[in-house]
Amino acid sequence: MVSPFETSFGVEADRECILVRLEERGGEEGWGEVVASSGPWYSHEMTECEWYLIVKYLAGEVVGSEFDHPEDLWDTRIARVRGHNMAKAGIDMALWDLYARKEGRSLSKVIGGVKDRIECGVSLGIRRRVEDLLEDVRRYLELGYRRIKIKIKKGWDVDVVRRIREEHPEIPLQVDANAAYTLKDVDILEKLDAYNLLMIEQPLSYDDLFFHSLLAKRIKTPICLDESITSLEKAVKAFEMKSCRVINIKPGRVGGITVSKDIHDFCLKVGMPVWIGGMLETGVGRAHLVALASLPGVAYPSDISASKRYYERDIVEPEWTVEDGYMAVPKESGIGVEVLEGEIKKHLVKYVEIKE
Ligand code: OSB
Ligand code: MG
C-alpha cells in the first residue's frame, strides 16, 4: 500500500488478499475478491481461514455445477456454511462478473445500476499527529473527494474533529469508530453532536444492534452501521430496532453482490439511505463496489477512492481514477476492467486450481 492505514483495531501496511478467478468450461471467466485482512480484527474472518473455507467447503459447490443465474449460488450448500461471508463473497462476485460478461452487459446494468458515475469519498486513517491528518484532509479535498471520513478511537476523536471543523466548517465530514466505544462513553459521543457530522459509523461493538438502538436515543449524529450488518436479516432488525439511520453496505462483509442487492432493495423500500463501504480492495474488488454504488438507493458518497490512493500499481487496467470527485461506471461487459495477471504474479504468495 502507498501508506499504512490505521484504524481503532490496528494498522495495515500491506494488503494480503485472495482473488477468485472462475472459469466457465471452454468459455468466459469471472473475477472476485475476498476482502478479509490478514488477522481477525475487523471481523472473525482472515485470509488464511477464508482460503481454507474456499478450498475445503465452497469451491466444490461451484466447480462442475451449472448455474442459470448467479443467485442460484445461494441454492447450493454454500448457504448452509455458517458465517465466512468474505469467502462466499469472493465466489459470488466472480459468478456475477462471469454472468455479466456472458450477457455482454456491464455488471452495473445487470444488477440494476442507474448511474454512470458515482460519488467518491475518502477514508483517512489515524495518524501520529493531528497536523498530519489535517494535511491528508487538505490533500484529498484538493483531489476533489466529495466527503471526508476519518477513523476515530478513544483519545483521537473530539479534538481531532474540532480541528478539522475549524479549518473546514462546511465540508461533508463523518467519522468511523470501528467499534471502539461502549455505552459508557456516551459523554464523548455526545460531544461529537456539535460538529455537524454526516454520521458516525459503528461506534459500539462489532456485532451489536441493541446498544446502538439505545445510543441512537442519546445522540443527534445519525448512526451508520458497518460491522453489525452481515446479512439482510441484520439490516431488517437494525431498521426495526432503530439501531441506525444509515447503512454502509460492503459486499465482502455480507457475502457478495446478491446479498448486497437484497439489503439495498430493502433499504430503498423502507427509506433507509445506504452507501458502499470499502476494505482497501484491489482494482478487482473495487469494480464490484463501483457497480453497487451505481444502484438507486445509494444516497451518500461511498468509500471508493482511486487506485493511487491505495496502491503504487493496481492489478487492473485501466486503473480506477477520480475526477471532480466522481468515478465513471464502466460500460464494458462484466466488471469492465482487465485483470493484469502479470501484475498479480509479481506478488503471488499462493495459488491453487480447483478442477472438476
Ligand atoms: O470500517 O470502513 C471500514 C478499511 C478496512 C477495514 C474497515 C474499514 C476500512 C475503511 C477503508 O474505512 C475504506 C476504503 O476502502 O477506502
Ligand atoms: Mg467502517
Side-chain angles (χ1 to χ4, degrees):
M1 303 192 67
V2 288
S3 53
F5 187 75
E6 181 167 346
T7 63
S8 62
F9 61 77
V11 188
E12 283 182 271
D14 295 284
R15 205 170 92 74
E16 210 175 58
C17 74
I18 304 172
L19 294 166
V20 179
R21 177 174 174 277
L22 200 59
E23 190 180 303
E24 186 188 26
R25 203 184 291 115
E28 275 292 358
E29 63 177 18
W31 286 87
E33 178 167 341
V34 176
V35 303
S37 323
S38 45
W41 316 124
Y42 167 82
S43 70
H44 62 278
E45 291 137 304
M46 52 177 277
T47 316
E48 286 266 348
C49 296
E50 305 323 297
W51 177 281
Y52 183 78
L53 259 287
I54 291 177
V55 173
K56 185 161 165 90
Y57 297 104
L58 305 178
E61 296 299 318
V62 185
V63 175
S65 299
E66 281 190 34
F67 296 93
D68 291 328
H69 193 273
E71 286 174 4
D72 298 347
L73 178 68
W74 299 95
D75 296 332
T76 69
R77 282 183 296 182
I78 279 183
R80 281 171 30 197
V81 172
R82 309 274 202 233
H84 297 287
N85 290 341
M86 292 183 182
K88 294 170 183 169
I91 293 176
D92 173 283
M93 288 177 199
L95 203 53
W96 273 100
D97 178 27
L98 173 58
Y99 175 76
R101 290 186 202 218
K102 278 173 67 74
E103 295 273 297
R105 296 160 70 208
S106 69
L107 180 60
S108 163
K109 280 284 172 305
V110 165
I111 65 174
V114 294
K115 299 170 191 166
D116 55 16
R117 56 177 201 164
I118 57 147
E119 264 191 295
C120 299
V122 67
S123 172
L124 300 177
I126 293 165
R127 300 294 302 263
R128 295 274 71 76
R129 303 169 339 128
V130 187
E131 288 70 25
D132 296 335
L133 181 63
L134 289 171
E135 191 53 47
D136 290 344
V137 172
R138 278 179 222 125
R139 179 145 54 100
Y140 285 96
L141 287 174
E142 230 154 76
L143 288 168
Y145 284 91
R146 297 180 59 81
R147 169 278 265 157
I148 301 287
K149 152 172 151 183
I150 66 157
K151 294 291 184 179
I152 57 168
K153 63 176 182 180
K154 277 198 214 177
W156 183 267
D157 41 39
V158 182
D159 286 340
V160 177
V161 170
R162 181 176 51 76
R163 292 287 296 278
I164 297 175
R165 267 293 178 237
E166 278 167 8
E167 196 172 318
H168 310 281
E170 304 290 345
I171 58 163
L173 179 66
Q174 67 193 56
V175 294
D176 185 356
N178 289 109
Y181 301 88
T182 69
L183 273 182
K184 290 196 187 108
D185 303 312
V186 68
D187 294 351
I188 304 173
L189 300 171
E190 258 168 7
K191 287 198 184 107
L192 291 172
D193 281 344
Y195 299 99
N196 188 28
L197 299 176
L198 285 176
M199 63 192 84
I200 175 169
E201 196 176 327
Q202 197 72 36
L204 309 180
S205 178
Y206 74 99
D207 193 27
D208 170 75
L209 295 176
F210 178 63
F211 291 139
H212 281 98
S213 75
L214 299 183
L215 177 65
K217 294 184 192 147
R218 303 279 307 270
I219 63 174
K220 291 199 205 73
T221 308
I223 294 174
C224 169
L225 287 178
D226 172 352
E227 283 90 330
S228 292
I229 309 297
T230 50
S231 62
L232 173 62
E233 189 181 303
K234 287 280 182 69
V236 173
K237 287 179 182 173
F239 170 72
E240 294 292 341
M241 292 167 70
K242 299 187 168 53
S243 308
C244 63
R245 277 155 54 188
V246 184
I247 287 179
N248 161 342
I249 300 178
K250 285 182 182 169
R253 189 192 67 228
V254 304
I257 299 290
T258 298
V259 183
S260 295
K261 250 169 57 64
D262 289 346
I263 294 173
H264 164 275
D265 294 352
F266 167 76
C267 288
L268 190 60
K269 194 178 75 192
V270 300
M272 171 101 78
V274 303
W275 52 280
I276 307 302
M279 295 284 289
L280 315 172
E281 283 88 345
T282 72
V284 172
R286 192 158 310 282
H288 290 273
L289 303 181
V290 171
L292 285 169
S294 73
L295 292 174
V298 175
Y300 287 101
S302 293
D303 273 350
I304 303 179
S305 308
S307 296
K308 285 276 177 287
R309 184 261 174 279
Y310 308 95
Y311 301 102
E312 303 287 356
R313 181 73 186 86
D314 206 340
I315 55 167
V316 300
E317 190 85 38
E319 293 198 295
W320 295 99
T321 55
V322 171
E323 241 175 88
D324 289 333
Y326 290 90
M327 190 177 279
V329 179
K331 294 186 168 52
E332 293 78 12
S333 75
I335 58 173
V337 285
E338 189 196 339
V339 182
L340 304 175
E341 297 196 38
E343 286 300 320
I344 295 175
K345 285 208 182 83
K346 287 186 196 164
H347 308 282
L348 197 62
V349 176
K350 207 163 153 185
Y351 175 84
V352 64
E353 195 169 325
I354 300 167
K355 294 185 170 176
E356 289 182 54

